[in-house]
Amino acid sequence: METDVHSLTTCQMGLSSLGSSAVMNVDDEVEKLLNGEGLEVNKEFDSAPAQVQAVALRKTVTYIVCAVIFNEKNEVLMVQEAKENCYKKWYLPAGRMEEGESIVEAMRREVKEEAGYDCQPITLVLVQEQGPEWIRFVFLAEITGGSLKTPAEADSESLQAEWWDQESPLTLRGQDILRLISAALKYREKPWHPVANPIDIGCHVIVQRLLLTFSSPDGTLWLLLGNTKELHLPLAVSSKTHTVTWAANRLVQETMPSTYSGLDVNTVGILGLQHSGREPGRTDGLCMNTLVTLEHTWQGPHTSLPPPVENPRFQWNTVENHRLREQIQQRLTTGSLLPVHSLC
Ligand SMILES: CC(C)=CCC/C(C)=C/CC/C(C)=C/COP(=O)(O)OP(=O)(O)O
Ligand SMILES: [Mg+2]
């Protein structure tokens, strides 16, 4: 027990109170992420599967983009599919990202091809993932030009587009889009998280940068930091066999193995999503900057403190900078973050 207390006392030196450049670096990283900015992805990861290979679009990863666009009557833009397996069924403008595209370019291309309109993103409203093989990016977007695709313009991309009042009967290609429409409508009615559009920073793998927090009952806020070279927010690479957000669990498992089974790791949402697809095979990855909470699943004598770190490459630090602490706590209590749904 003494070891625990000692290690925690050592760690109670706060970010700012240390005053070193290493700590300033973390404050700086946190500040940028809270502002929705990105950070370059260092190639040295803090947690990764045994083999880390660059992901390749359409080979090891499929990104799907999807747009929810409303008109002034709150009708939603729908497209009638031309593909054999869903012929004449209706869906949101959506499709697979192509090599060399950014996420926004892919979304705009799909809307143009399938619905006839030019558009621009308002914000991402939802990211869904089924592990690193399938990730779907859902935008709330608005029209900037073009015209509704008519049946006379039918081609292999779609048969036509229409505005749907969401009540008239319509044969849908999949019920999955109802959740996407609701997410976009909720944001349109009340923008409940800051605008979150992709940040143009390339990465070769699918990785999470973690703002991994522990909150003590007295209001102390702790961050788990990597300490190799300089203190930094940990980077956890996803593995093929799990959901993308499971990488946070692996990092906790590796860092606090004795207590892991009594801990709850919860990815609350995304602060920013980094991607640049310009160099196929080299920048097909992405980095999700996520806000994650760690909690004890039961309450006991020592559960007001973060679980002891058993791996020398990591440490807990308290957030001493008041402004940063309040901002993180506010984002945690209001849940004002881009949601990420892990579907398997
Ligand atoms: C993470 C997650 C929810 C993944 C599953 C998404 C999903 C329902 C995939 C199946 C359908 C699919 C491949 C849509 C792509 O759009 P499309 O078939 O319209 O592609 P295209 O326009 O490029 O032909
Ligand atoms: Mg499509």
Side-chain angles (χ1 to χ4, degrees), residues 28-291:
D28 214 37
E29 286 193 342
V30 172
E31 173 119 48
K32 284 201 165 116
L33 296 199
L34 289 170
N35 286 340
E37 293 168 48
L39 296 166
E40 289 299 324
V41 181
N42 195 321
K43 286 211 167 114
E44 285 160 38
F45 302 113
D46 298 280
S47 173
Q51 283 202 321
V52 180
Q53 279 182 327
V55 294
L57 192 71
R58 311 287 282 258
K59 297 185 182 82
T60 60
V61 62
T62 301
Y63 295 138
I64 298 167
V65 289
C66 190
V68 188
I69 299 178
F70 297 100
N71 64 13
E72 65 291 343
K73 292 191 267 179
N74 258 3
E75 293 168 329
V76 62
L77 183 63
M78 300 287 284
V79 300
Q80 193 175 32
E81 297 283 0
K83 279 197 286 270
E84 204 180 317
N85 62 355
C86 48
Y87 189 70
K88 286 201 165 173
K89 293 190 176 162
W90 293 84
Y91 207 60
L92 289 170
R96 280 163 264 220
M97 193 189 297
E98 292 174 4
E99 273 196 350
E101 283 183 323
S102 72
I103 301 175
V104 168
E105 283 164 355
M107 184 276 290
R108 296 174 80 171
R109 176 183 52 72
E110 289 292 347
V111 172
K112 185 71 179 171
E113 287 173 356
E114 298 186 353
Y117 283 119
D118 302 304
C119 74
Q120 65 185 18
I122 296 171
T123 180
L124 280 164
V125 288
L126 182 60
V127 175
Q128 295 176 307
E129 55 115 348
Q130 295 182 340
E133 276 101 9
W134 286 93
I135 303 180
R136 177 157 68 179
F137 306 98
V138 184
F139 286 91
L140 172 64
E142 63 191 359
I143 285 171
T144 54
S147 56
L148 192 73
K149 186 167 176 175
T150 63
E153 296 166 291
D155 57 18
S156 61
E157 304 293 348
S158 71
L159 300 177
Q160 61 173 317
E162 256 317 338
W163 293 103
W164 182 40
D165 61 11
Q166 301 168 68
E167 282 174 7
S168 313
L170 200 64
T171 309
L172 300 180
R173 173 179 166 188
Q175 300 291 314
D176 57 308
I177 56 164
L178 299 178
R179 185 181 198 179
L180 314 188
I181 295 170
S182 303
L185 201 53
K186 183 177 153 198
Y187 192 94
R188 179 172 148 95
E189 281 164 2
K190 182 172 188 284
W192 57 278
H193 60 76
V195 165
N197 281 318
I199 304 155
D200 187 9
I201 297 179
C203 175
H204 69 296
V205 290
I206 296 175
V207 64
Q208 263 190 98
R209 190 193 322 268
L210 301 161
L211 214 61
L212 200 153
T213 63
F214 179 90
S215 299
S216 291
D218 66 359
T220 309
L221 182 70
W222 305 77
L223 280 187
L224 186 75
L225 302 179
N227 60 19
T228 42
K229 292 193 182 157
E230 55 183 12
L231 284 180
H232 61 273
L233 297 170
L235 283 169
V237 180
S238 66
S239 50
K240 283 184 198 155
T241 45
H242 291 85
T243 61
V244 170
T245 56
W246 190 84
N249 284 70
R250 186 184 55 227
L251 182 126
V252 172
Q253 204 171 11
E254 289 169 352
T255 314
M256 303 154 214
S258 309
T259 41
Y260 176 69
S261 62
L263 298 173
D264 189 16
V265 184
N266 178 30
T267 300
V268 189
I270 297 176
L271 290 159
L273 185 136
Q274 306 178 193
H275 170 269
S276 162
R278 265 190 282 282
E279 294 177 65
R282 288 166 53 86
T283 60
D284 287 335
L286 58 90
C287 175
M288 289 183 193
N289 300 317
T290 53
L291 186 52

